[in-house]
Amino acid sequence: MNGATSTLGPTQLARLLGPWRVVGESGRHPARQVLAERIRSLILDGRIAVGVRLPAERPLSETLRLSRTTITAAYALLVEQGYAAARRGSGTFTALPDRLLARSAGGFRFSDDPDVLDLSCAAPPTPIAALREATAWAAERLTLVRSSAFLPYGLPELREAIAERYTERGLPTEPGQILVTSGAQGAITLVGRLLLRAGDRVLVEGPSYPNAIDSLAAPKSRLSPVPLDEATGWIDGATGQIPLQLAAERLAPRIVYSIPHFHNPTGAVMPPEQAGPIARAARRSGAWLLADETIAEIALDVPVPPPFAIGVSPADAERLLVCGSLGKSFWGGIRVGWLRAPTRVVHELAAARAALDLASPVIDQLIGVAVLREGCGIEELRRTEARENRAALEAALREAVPEWTWRTPPGGYCLWVRLAEGEESTSLVYRAGTHGLLLQSGPRFGADPGTYERFLRLP
């Protein structure tokens, strides 16, 4: 867990294990072997983070109604296989074998070969007609821009249009609360550059957006993943508690990064009532909460979620940063993103970006104004395309690989697919690359390298 000192309780582990004894009672495998395999699977799936202290043997044996000898033997198997490390006087901690850590290193793969099918990015196609209309509108008004070409805060007209969009969605916002960035990724990178120092802890969901993971880890911070529940998202299905809130209270992070709306890559949606407790915990621990709303507009089966900040009190909002962009709802090629933040933070970030990119291109920002204000938005077209493509992808997967499973997301641009037993996504992605197909393996979405080997993100 990259420096986190978190302990898994026996009751929590028992819930995660599920009905594992059904397998062991067949007599084909000893209970110690089945228990070790179940824990190993939970680590590989990212449901137990790396570096977590496993329950002490005696309490776990009482909870599972097994002998202490069986628990000791299961832990020994995990250590032998590289999925745990025993520390004298401290306990047994989850780990990953060196072979998984080594092969999961590395970032996104790109190709300019026109014969390669690139499904490594979940990006919508170019909206030719709408882009022409927005570009023509922007070109006509380019000569009216009297200010300097370098606008660290962003084009005033665009800041106003973004603020108006928030206000229309029920969150009163002033242009002074908006900083225009080079895509949402530019906002995330800028926040990391300004706020993080070496050794600072950052909480991220497990799994999470790979580029955000890379940016927030760049200042040599300590990333601590908080696994999402496959069924209930941000809520612990057994206790009703919010693990991200608890981690913010206990681990004293510098930044908490969350993707609350159509989470990348799972597609989950955080209920609005959970925003307040998470923001309150972050503020009380002295952390900044960075909510990524980049995909919020791609609502396929539910209404567009309200802005995250609506569920946050004014006091807690003083530590809240929200990023968004036109990359998913319009087109990523214009690189228009933003950060909504307290005015004083906007000033600090604008000063800090000088060493990063000075400012965003003016013509791109004018296109952004056209998209937001002049009727060139194509959100409903994007939703229709995504619904059709999702249905086609699901039908193809059911026919070709019926043993793969997933939860149909209510929005967003991708499926988070669990592979069949024994399959590993890193190997699959490598084989796909030899056939001209670029994919991203599950480990790219984990803050702990080597986790999520049994998952694949498919746009």
Side-chain angles (χ1 to χ4, degrees), residues 73-98:
Y75 282 5
L77 278 174
L78 290 170
V79 172
E80 180 182 338
Q81 297 166 356
Y83 292 94
R87 304 176 190 172
R88 185 180 296 274
S90 298
T92 303
F93 295 76
T94 57
L96 283 171
D98 290 341

Side-chain angles (χ1 to χ4, degrees), residues 52-118:
V52 168
R53 184 188 292 111
L54 291 169
E57 295 163 3
R58 186 183 300 279
L60 185 60
S61 69
E62 294 172 353
T63 300
L64 298 181
R65 297 182 181 179
L66 292 171
S67 70
R68 188 174 178 182
T69 302
T70 298
I71 304 298
T72 302
Y75 282 5
L77 278 174
L78 290 170
V79 172
E80 180 182 338
Q81 297 166 356
Y83 292 94
R87 304 176 190 172
R88 185 180 296 274
S90 298
T92 303
F93 295 76
T94 57
L96 283 171
D98 290 341
R99 63 181 180 85
L100 292 183
L101 293 173
R103 74 179 184 180
S104 64
F108 276 114
R109 301 164 62 195
F110 298 97
S111 175
D112 57 2
D113 186 342
D115 295 326
V116 168
L117 179 59
D118 189 353

Side-chain angles (χ1 to χ4, degrees), residues 228-240:
L228 295 180
D229 190 293
E230 287 189 74
T232 55
W234 287 263
I235 286 284
D236 186 315
T239 66

